[in-house]
Amino acid sequence: MDALKYLLLPPLLNALLILAGLAAGTRRLMGGLLFTLGLASLLALATPVASHALRQGLEPPPLSGPAALRGQGAIVILGGGRDTRSPEFGWGDAPANPTWRRLAYGAWLQRGSGWPILVSGGRVHHEHSAEASLMAAALREVFEVPVRWLEGESRNTAENARFSAAMLQREGIERVALVSQAWHLPRAIAEFEAAGLTVIPAPTEFASAPPPGLHAWIPRTYHLNQSTRALHEWLGRGVAWLKTRLPTP
């Protein structure tokens, strides 16, 4: 499944189209079309205009602030990756930049609401420590915010939801503020609601508007990365939609 996912996403998909075009011969109609499609789509997806459009279509409205978190509930912060062998903190591995953004926002919400925090993230590639433990260390040592629950077994968003819900429901908590990047939240919300929780979206890192003029159309690797992440989410939503339409075996 992972191999198929990468085949359907840039830059591998674009590279395969370009190679297919070269193999067929760029002077032939089919070869020229494949080569042009692969190269043009790669450059287009790397523009600020494309990455903004793809991400903005995924984003829910922002939370109105910590005051929106009333009654009983918990803040769930999803892991967003790790940097291995990061020496600056002395932890070995450290949270990746997307995770830091989630942690900062989750810490701010906790200070304003008093809701306890659950961090969720496991060992995707059999690392020595769960991502949740790195997140807890960052919240404790950098943001000086306590963590009540560590969910360190999950390897994807569906497992984030299932394992976190089990921990929280054992303590009678049915409502969560779910913290992740804005482009990632729609799929995550669906998973957590399917696990039986009531979800308050708490998105962070919204897509910035493209710069004015010609700069909006200049390809950059940063925007190709953002477009790829957004397409991954759109692909996930498409697969989920198909599952609801296919007959149950």
Side-chain angles (χ1 to χ4, degrees), residues 14 38 55 88 96 158 208 213 235 244:
N14 310 84
R55 290 176 61 190
E88 63 267 40
S208 300
L235 181 63
T244 64

Side-chain angles (χ1 to χ4, degrees), residues 64-123:
S64 58
L69 307 183
R70 302 185 183 93
Q72 185 183 35
I75 298 167
V76 176
I77 307 175
L78 301 180
R82 70 172 76 208
D83 291 330
T84 58
R85 301 179 183 176
S86 300
E88 63 267 40
F89 294 103
W91 303 334
D93 294 355
N97 283 344
T99 308
W100 280 109
R101 182 63 176 257
R102 302 176 191 190
L103 294 171
Y105 186 49
W108 182 72
L109 290 175
Q110 194 280 330
R111 288 196 182 103
S113 68
W115 278 19
I117 288 178
L118 179 149
V119 289
S120 178
R123 300 171 176 84

